[in-house]
């Protein structure tokens, strides 16, 4: 488990650490107090991943084309 603040992690870093946390918890070879700490860290990591995904979704845009099929601009994707 990293000592790095979750709020400073990229999506990829948070996801990688979350996978490690889940693996440790699934193995069940961690003491109860450590399991609680891991669970809390995992919850923070999950939230960070969700936040970063939401940010990415908000940046997604559809390319609009003019009458000749050439790119004319960007519009937000509906439903995200």
């Amino acid at each position: 488990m990293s000592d790095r603040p979750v709020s400073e992690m990229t999506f990829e870093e948070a996801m990688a650490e979350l996978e490690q946390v889940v693996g440790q918890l699934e193995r069940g070879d961690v003491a109860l107090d450590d399991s609680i700490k891991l669970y809390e860290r995992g919850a923070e990591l999950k939230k960070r991943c969700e936040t970063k995904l939401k940010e990415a979704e908000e940046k997604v845009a559809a390319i609009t084309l003019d009458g000749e099929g050439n790119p004319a601009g960007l519009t937000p994707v509906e439903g995200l």
Side-chain angles (χ1 to χ4, degrees):
M1 189 163 67
S2 169
D3 291 333
R4 185 168 178 202
V6 173
S7 62
E8 296 177 4
M9 292 182 167
T10 65
F11 172 82
E12 291 80 6
E13 292 168 334
M15 182 61 77
E17 186 172 332
L18 180 57
E19 289 172 351
Q20 291 175 352
V21 167
V22 169
Q24 287 179 294
L25 290 171
E26 285 179 342
R27 281 194 307 275
D29 58 357
V30 181
L32 180 60
D33 287 342
D34 292 336
S35 292
I36 293 168
K37 289 176 187 172
L38 281 170
Y39 182 85
E40 290 170 345
R41 179 76 172 183
E44 287 182 67
L45 292 163
K46 177 183 173 284
K47 184 175 181 181
R48 179 67 174 168
C49 289
E50 289 172 342
T51 298
K52 296 304 282 181
L53 281 175
K54 182 68 175 166
E55 289 173 6
E57 287 174 348
E58 290 171 357
K59 292 179 182 178
V60 172
I63 298 173
T64 56
L65 304 176
D66 63 18
E68 297 176 9
N70 299 315
L74 301 173
T75 57
V77 174
E78 296 296 321
L80 294 179

